[in-house]
Amino acid sequence: MYRETDIIQSADQSPEGYMIINVGPQHPATHGVLHLVITLNGETIKKVEPHLGYIHRSIEKMCESLSYRQFIYVTSRMDYLSAHINNHACALCVEKGLQVEIPERAKVIRVLMDELTRIASHELWWGAMAMDLGAFTPFFHAFRERETINDIMEETCGARLTMNYMVPGGVMHDIHPNFQRRVKEFIQLYKSKIHEYDELVTGNIIFQNRMKGVGILSAEDAISYGCTGPVARGSGVSSDIRKVQPYEIYDKLQFDEVLETGCDSFARYLIRIKEMNQSIRIVEQLIDNIPEGDFQAKTKAVLKLPKGEFYTRVETARGELGVYIVSEGGTTPYRIKFRSPGFSNLSVLDKIARGGKIGDLIAMMGTLDLVIPDIDR
Amino acid sequence: MKIVPVKKYISDVFGAIKSLATGMKRTMYYFTHHKEIITQQYPDNRNTLELPERFKGEVVMPHDENNEHRCTGCQACELACPNGTIKVIFKNELTPEGKKKKAIDKLVYHLELCTMCNLCVEACPSDAIKMAQTFEHSVFDRSKLTKVLNNPGSKIMEGVE
Ligand code: SF4
Ligand code: SF4
């Protein structure tokens, strides 16, 4: 499986000075089937080599045989924590090809769902992050809020994780009559509980000591490795697609792009906590202002994209997701490519871990917020 | 080693203890406030568990009291399904006037292939199928997951085209 690759031969010491350990593919801290081959000198990390492919389902190839309505459901299985946002990106790309204008109501519902998903995703990350560092309680606190969002999703979209709610032309169902009330209840719950997050984790001295000054990623590296999302913003790189290239109604909303200049694990942690607050801000602006009207534009039963290439980018909870469709004019795409945020963010792991200690590796990996099915597809 | 001034050292120690105490206080709060715990005891709460009506558990075909369904056999669901989960099998029926008419014999549904995407329900022009709220699907034999959605001996409802 693992060959003694160039690192050992070209290393400045003899191979005897090194130890190679494997983390994963079945390891609770890798949050999925990620296999890391780590070269160590004592406790110091010399190299981290991720091995991928354990959960490769060939989603891009599968999409080539599915129609433009059908392929969207598969993308919920990529980054399953941002299922709505993945679906949204695909729907946007198809709409771009079809040149349909979607109703205002659908746009607002989509953005609301996206932001709720983002909060849910960051909640889960926060709980898992603390668990990576050995604190188990925060996980349950995070899940209390996340469950509330999941219940809202279940009521309106009919599923808790793989929703398949965004369809070309709008959304599949109208919002549930209870939707607004329950989202407002959630906002209240969130606001009354968010201070617990700081009490339990952010202010904790053990946590801070393990996060501050660890996993340094400079702004230059973040750019050259193609990092996006909270990973890039933790290094002060402005990369929020919602601001850089606004889609739907994001240009009309008031929210800030959160930037930190700490460049370390703690900065990346803070970004996500602050992003949740920004998402709450967006939800608050929209929840009472959902315009009346249709929730779906009229589209043909069989969708045919004109010959050409279409690309859309959206901001998922992990960074930039790009959907690239090449159409030959038929009912199925000729080629689909997804630019997933997790893949680029994972590639930076070797960079930030080198020279660090093995004990910090899991903490660094946690702050990258990796979702393995998103990386492998 | 960095040299830390004594004053800062002491304040750091107290700050650290304070931060740990804050966290412990929060944990103890929930230790003594059982009412705020929201864990649900599944499967003990099975009888009271209610799922929202849109929950996508499995595809079913509702029948009325005369054992009649609304499926015309148009195959729209079969075409809409991304996984080939649904197969419509036809038979020839005689109408009262003695003419031959095509009608569905079986609507075969492979639960093991279904991803609960709701596309078939959306596609059905006569609202013949819908999503049920069942979710306890595990069985010992895979063949039990292949279901026939229309009841045996069922007919199409009057007036559904
Ligand atoms: S829910 Fe989706 S996968 Fe299941 S039968 Fe309907 S279209 Fe097919
Ligand atoms: S269930 Fe609906 S879509 Fe499927 S064959 Fe019957 S009428 Fe047509």
Side-chain angles (χ1 to χ4, degrees):
Chain A
M1 181 69 247
Y2 180 67
R3 284 171 296 117
E4 290 201 2
T5 43
D6 34 331
I7 29 139
I8 303 215
Q9 272 122 42
S10 70
D12 49 329
Q13 278 182 30
S14 65
E16 292 85 62
Y18 291 98
M19 180 168 74
I20 291 166
I21 64 164
N22 289 276
V23 174
Q26 307 292 337
H27 192 279
T30 57
H31 303 295
V33 280
L34 176 65
H35 178 195
L36 296 176
V37 181
I38 305 163
T39 312
L40 292 171
N41 183 3
E43 273 196 45
T44 311
I45 298 170
K46 287 285 165 198
K47 187 179 170 84
V48 180
E49 212 180 330
H51 282 203
L52 300 176
Y54 292 95
I55 192 161
H56 184 75
R57 292 143 300 166
S58 174
I59 285 184
E60 287 173 7
K61 191 73 191 163
M62 263 165 83
C63 290
E64 286 172 19
S65 59
L66 296 175
S67 80
Y68 290 111
R69 274 185 209 288
Q70 290 170 343
F71 88 97
I72 293 181
Y73 94 93
V74 198
T75 58
S76 316
R77 274 97 181 149
M78 292 189 330
D79 178 357
Y80 46 80
L81 295 178
S82 316
H84 266 312
I85 314 183
N86 294 351
N87 295 166
H88 193 169
C90 298
L92 274 179
C93 201
V94 175
E95 281 153 15
K96 199 173 180 179
L98 291 173
Q99 308 252 319
V100 288
E101 187 57 39
I102 74 159
E104 210 50 35
R105 184 178 176 85
K107 286 186 185 173
V108 172
I109 297 176
R110 279 180 174 186
V111 169
L112 270 170
M113 289 298 177
D114 280 5
E115 293 310 317
L116 287 174
T117 310
R118 198 183 313 278
I119 299 169
S121 170
H122 285 348
E123 299 267 13
L124 181 96
W125 162 82
W126 180 79
M129 172 81 238
M131 207 158 73
D132 283 346
L133 294 175
F136 205 75
T137 324
F139 194 72
F140 296 108
H141 286 251
F143 260 60
R144 177 186 52 204
E145 275 83 74
R146 185 171 176 272
E147 274 310 286
T148 324
I149 297 183
N150 274 356
D151 286 345
I152 296 171
M153 299 287 181
E154 195 177 21
E155 210 174 44
T156 292
C157 321
R160 302 168 74 84
L161 208 58
T162 51
M163 288 90 169
N164 190 33
Y165 182 61
M166 317 261 177
V167 293
V171 291
M172 196 178 257
H173 315 279
D174 202 356
I175 49 170
H176 195 272
N178 288 341
F179 179 76
Q180 276 158 307
R181 179 176 59 78
R182 294 190 67 162
V183 171
K184 279 181 207 155
E185 279 170 13
F186 164 72
I187 296 176
Q188 252 179 13
L189 173 80
Y190 176 87
K191 287 194 166 161
S192 66
K193 300 289 186 195
I194 188 67
H195 67 96
E196 291 181 0
Y197 289 40
D198 294 339
E199 286 170 17
L200 276 171
V201 174
T202 318
N204 187 298
I205 186 77
I206 304 171
F207 180 75
Q208 289 199 356
N209 283 350
R210 291 197 60 186
M211 300 291 271
K212 282 187 177 164
V214 174
I216 303 284
L217 172 70
S218 66
E220 290 77 30
D221 287 333
I223 294 171
S224 63
Y225 278 83
C227 295
T228 46
V231 177
R233 292 198 281 281
S235 303
V237 180
S238 165
S239 62
D240 195 332
I241 306 295
R242 295 175 294 171
K243 285 277 184 204
V244 180
Q245 208 181 63
Y247 50 98
E248 303 288 23
I249 50 165
Y250 278 114
D251 47 350
K252 294 187 206 117
L253 296 171
Q254 252 120 65
F255 67 101
D256 301 324
E257 175 175 7
V258 189
L259 285 178
E260 286 283 332
T261 45
C263 299
D264 55 359
S265 293
F266 196 62
R268 293 192 280 275
Y269 170 85
L270 285 181
I271 291 272
R272 293 200 180 86
I273 295 283
K274 289 181 183 167
E275 250 181 31
M276 283 200 274
N277 294 332
Q278 292 301 326
S279 292
I280 286 282
R281 226 176 114 190
I282 297 178
V283 173
E284 274 180 330
Q285 284 169 46
L286 291 177
I287 192 66
D288 280 325
N289 300 316
I290 305 179
E292 294 296 321
D294 290 340
F295 58 88
Q296 217 183 84
K298 285 262 179 307
T299 45
K300 292 209 188 79
V302 179
L303 301 180
K304 267 191 190 162
L305 255 62
K307 203 169 167 159
E309 299 173 5
F310 309 97
Y311 186 72
T312 45
R313 42 209 302 235
V314 298
E315 179 80 14
T316 75
R318 264 148 219 90
E320 174 185 342
L321 172 77
V323 178
Y324 177 57
I325 298 182
V326 182
S327 167
E328 293 275 88
T331 53
T332 56
Y334 176 71
R335 176 81 170 91
I336 281 198
K337 162 94 182 106
F338 297 109
R339 183 252 180 244
S340 71
F343 190 80
S344 322
N345 290 353
L346 169 69
S347 63
V348 92
L349 180 63
D350 180 44
K351 181 85 198 166
I352 62 176
R354 267 189 203 196
K357 299 280 182 248
I358 178 83
D360 287 329
L361 179 74
I362 298 299
M364 290 182 224
M365 201 164 74
T367 59
L368 296 181
D369 194 8
L370 303 173
V371 167
I372 312 305
D374 179 40
I375 296 166
D376 255 350
R377 296 193 293 285
Chain B
M1 251 334 256
K2 257 192 307 182
I3 309 285
V4 183
V6 178
K7 215 166 154 196
K8 182 160 184 311
Y9 179 77
I10 293 172
S11 78
D12 274 359
V13 168
F14 278 103
I17 293 171
K18 186 160 164 267
S19 80
L20 295 178
T22 324
M24 274 323 274
K25 201 173 126 217
R26 186 45 58 194
T27 311
M28 291 314 285
Y29 175 82
Y30 283 104
F31 199 67
T32 51
H33 288 72
H34 294 286
K35 289 238 170 60
E36 293 186 33
I37 295 170
I38 55 157
T39 315
Q40 291 185 15
Q41 298 295 340
Y42 179 81
D44 296 349
N45 66 349
R46 250 207 196 118
N47 298 330
T48 54
L49 192 68
E50 265 194 46
L51 288 164
E53 72 270 26
R54 281 187 196 168
F55 181 79
K56 298 182 267 192
E58 121 184 71
V59 179
V60 292
M61 184 181 283
H63 288 68
D64 68 0
E65 60 279 7
N66 304 329
N67 201 14
E68 288 175 340
H69 56 73
R70 299 176 60 87
C71 176
T72 57
C74 67
Q75 287 182 297
C77 52
E78 191 175 330
L79 285 172
C81 180
N83 316 309
T85 306
I86 295 181
K87 287 271 173 304
V88 186
I89 299 172
F90 293 99
K91 64 176 177 204
N92 280 327
E93 245 178 18
L94 283 181
T95 53
E97 296 92 56
K99 279 195 206 134
K100 270 196 185 159
K101 198 181 150 217
K102 224 165 134 193
I104 69 157
D105 183 19
K106 282 179 193 157
L107 199 130
V108 184
Y109 169 65
H110 295 269
L111 180 56
E112 75 270 31
L113 299 179
C114 183
T115 54
M116 319 301 168
C117 65
N118 209 31
L119 289 175
C120 51
V121 179
E122 288 281 298
C124 179
S126 47
D127 290 333
I129 42 177
K130 65 173 190 122
M131 282 288 180
Q133 279 72 50
T134 47
F135 61 95
E136 291 165 334
H137 291 317
S138 54
V139 284
F140 284 106
D141 188 357
R142 189 177 164 194
S143 63
K144 290 206 179 95
L145 292 171
T146 305
K147 302 183 177 183
V148 177
L149 292 190
N150 51 330
N151 290 351
S154 60
K155 280 210 312 289
I156 181 165
M157 237 175 250
E158 279 305 306
V160 179
E161 282 302 319

